[in-house]
Amino acid sequence: MDVFRCLAMGYDATATAKRLQVSWNTVRTHTRNVYAKLGVHSRQELIDLVDEATKRT
């Protein structure tokens, strides 16, 4: 969930790793899983999806 939040806020993998104090590879693994579960292929698609979802509420 923390990696998802960072990605949705526009952080890249390096910044996310530093912010969460985990390795870059850990962030990359979680990013792949988030993308697969949400059916997106890029950070921008993820941000657009989050923006769309938050506009509805």
Side-chain angles (χ1 to χ4, degrees):
M1 187 60 89
D2 293 331
V3 171
F4 168 75
R5 278 192 202 105
C6 288
L7 293 171
M9 291 189 307
Y11 288 98
D12 65 8
T14 302
T16 298
K18 286 181 183 179
R19 182 178 173 97
L20 300 178
Q21 297 180 348
V22 296
S23 76
W24 182 85
N25 284 323
T26 298
V27 172
R28 188 177 72 168
T29 298
H30 288 302
T31 298
R32 283 187 199 155
N33 292 334
V34 167
Y35 286 4
K37 287 179 182 182
L38 296 177
V40 298
H41 300 95
S42 70
R43 190 170 18 141
Q44 188 58 53
E45 284 184 39
L46 177 66
I47 292 168
D48 292 344
L49 184 68
V50 169
D51 285 346
E52 185 177 318
T54 57
K55 287 180 185 176
R56 293 184 193 163
T57 58

